Amino acid sequence: MPYKTIHVEASRSYDILIGNDILSKAGEIIGPIVGNCRLGLLTDSTVDKLYGKRLTDILTASGYTIHKYVIPSGEASKCADNLLKFLNFLAEHHLTRSDAIIAFGGGVVGDMAGLAAALYLRGVKYVQIPTTLLAAVDSSVGGKTAIDIPAGKNLVGAFYQPSIVCCDTKLMDTLAPEVYRDGCAEVIKYGIILDKNLYATLKTPQFDRESVVARCVEIKRDVVQQDEFDNGLRGLLNYGHTFGHAIEKLSNFEVSHGSAVAKGMLIAARLANLCSLSNITKEVEELLTMYGFDLSCNYSADELFASILSDKKRRGDNITIVLPYSIGDCRLVTFTIEELHDKLKKILD
Ligand code: GLY
């Protein structure tokens, strides 16, 4: 097989196939997994314009009947209204339990299609075909599915693993530079949390995409296999995310996820420094700057803290933050909320 294959052992076990131009083989690849069925394809307007017809042609040539549903690009589409409309679309086309859903897009499409798969007829198979670097290394792997509700991002969801992930790194050629850079933030995250060799590779921003995506997926696979339902270790994948989500929310999602995570990773490094756990702030700042991230935080400690209080990761009066001990070694550190507030003031004010 000319593709990199990474196997995940979880409540549903599956392969993640990574390769340049793997899309052209999508029909043959999914055949043994979903069988002879009809496919409810969810995509967004940007991906549809670029690759929608191509994927439909490829799958039709392999004998599949496709029912395509297109949502507008952007986070605002990951809502209950679109989820219900998509579920209704599947029902109107009489898809049955032996049919399958395809998620063809970035994180918004992947998260919503996954949740639709978990809910439709109490569960049908789904295939992830990520088209962004961010979806390839994060949201398409590990079975976290969700939609946003007015009270917050990803607050309604389910753990529901895909049946296969088919990741074509060539599709990333057409990503807008800022969208590609968003994915780089997650890639850098993997280096900082668990792999100093990967981190060293990333000092060359023109890294080999296939092998870097494969390494990030392996790291995520190893974590998910140990803690599929996010009761401990999986929290490491949230490095930079507690502060990042708070910044995203405060900016009304004007700051993209990757840019917010980059800012969040630097704040977490500064917090580790303040707690005398490590001093990698300068190194992290230099690497993120090399990738073009604006690392300024336009919010005060009070504003950030208020936003963090509604974070899913808060448990009672405690909150657990991922902090770097060194590059490649991050750990979960629990603070009382007062302690965290105090330390944020020292860092940001
Ligand atoms: N995106 C973090 C996780 O999948 O756990």
Side-chain angles (χ1 to χ4, degrees):
M1 181 82 82
Y3 311 118
K4 294 185 194 306
T5 303
I6 295 166
H7 183 71
V8 184
E9 279 292 329
S11 52
R12 172 185 280 133
S13 299
Y14 55 99
D15 285 335
I16 298 157
L17 273 59
I18 300 161
N20 194 47
D21 203 28
I22 197 171
L23 194 73
S24 56
K25 301 277 182 293
E28 297 160 40
I29 288 169
I30 69 168
I33 309 297
V34 299
N36 180 15
C37 69
R38 288 180 307 140
L39 298 169
L41 172 67
L42 183 70
T43 191
D44 72 26
S45 46
T46 306
V47 175
D48 187 44
K49 218 174 286 161
L50 288 166
Y51 302 114
K53 179 168 172 352
R54 186 159 159 236
L55 180 61
T56 306
D57 287 350
I58 288 165
L59 294 174
T60 307
S62 291
Y64 289 101
T65 302
I66 318 293
H67 300 287
K68 182 171 75 178
Y69 192 86
V70 184
I71 54 175
S73 302
E75 186 72 30
S77 283
K78 209 172 94 175
C79 60
D81 190 35
N82 280 339
L83 174 68
L84 285 179
K85 282 182 177 152
F86 179 52
L87 290 168
N88 198 53
F89 172 85
L90 299 172
E92 278 174 355
H93 288 86
H94 308 291
L95 267 81
T96 69
R97 274 204 175 141
S98 57
D99 295 322
I101 290 175
I102 300 214
F104 186 42
V108 167
V109 164
D111 283 5
M112 198 168 100
L115 185 56
L119 295 174
Y120 186 64
L121 305 178
R122 299 199 178 90
V124 295
K125 289 181 177 171
Y126 76 110
V127 176
Q128 286 275 14
I129 307 184
T131 57
T132 63
L133 178 59
L134 197 147
V137 298
D138 187 23
S139 51
S140 67
V141 178
K144 272 192 184 173
T145 72
I147 53 161
D148 305 333
I149 56 174
K153 201 174 138 136
N154 292 335
L155 290 187
V156 173
F159 289 96
Y160 194 69
Q161 302 292 340
S163 292
I164 188 164
V165 182
C166 186
C167 173
D168 185 345
T169 48
K170 193 171 168 51
L171 299 178
M172 297 168 202
D173 286 347
T174 48
L175 290 176
E178 63 279 8
V179 177
Y180 187 75
R181 191 176 57 208
D182 262 10
C184 291
E186 294 285 349
V187 169
I188 292 168
K189 174 196 82 177
Y190 285 109
I192 298 174
I193 58 172
L194 282 164
D195 187 345
K196 62 178 189 306
N197 294 333
L198 170 64
Y199 187 87
T201 302
L202 300 175
K203 290 182 180 165
T204 307
Q206 286 72 34
F207 52 75
D208 177 65
R209 206 185 281 161
E210 253 178 87
S211 45
V212 163
V213 168
R215 181 62 196 132
C216 294
V217 169
E218 268 172 4
I219 295 172
K220 182 156 187 183
R221 181 269 316 268
D222 292 346
V223 171
V224 167
Q225 285 188 164
Q226 293 175 69
D227 181 22
E228 180 178 354
F229 298 106
D230 208 3
N231 291 315
L233 185 74
R234 189 165 178 166
L236 283 183
L237 301 176
N238 291 323
Y239 175 54
H241 283 61
T242 301
F243 304 123
H245 280 156
I247 291 169
E248 257 184 296
K249 216 170 3 162
L250 285 166
S251 78
N252 243 330
F253 298 94
E254 294 277 305
V255 177
S256 68
H257 180 70
S259 301
V261 166
K263 292 174 196 283
M265 290 195 288
L266 184 63
I267 295 172
R270 292 174 70 191
L271 180 57
N273 193 3
L274 184 71
C275 298
S276 305
L277 300 175
S278 63
N279 189 4
I280 61 162
T281 310
K282 191 159 174 289
E283 198 178 345
V284 168
E285 188 168 7
E286 274 170 12
L287 188 68
L288 291 169
T289 304
M290 192 196 292
Y291 279 78
F293 287 107
D294 166 8
L295 298 171
S296 58
C297 177
N298 298 328
Y299 304 103
S300 67
D302 284 349
E303 286 171 313
L304 211 60
F305 180 70
S307 182
I308 286 168
L309 285 186
S310 60
D311 195 284
K312 294 198 282 313
K313 290 173 278 300
R314 182 179 159 201
R315 300 269 186 276
D317 286 338
N318 291 329
I319 185 148
T320 300
I321 309 279
V322 185
L323 293 184
Y325 279 58
S326 63
I327 298 291
D329 175 14
C330 277
R331 305 187 202 169
L332 300 163
V333 179
T334 300
F335 296 90
T336 65
I337 52 173
E338 292 81 18
E339 244 170 10
L340 183 66
H341 191 186
D342 210 46
K343 291 192 189 308
L344 278 179
K345 278 177 176 294
K346 292 196 172 108
I347 294 172
L348 295 174
D349 291 348

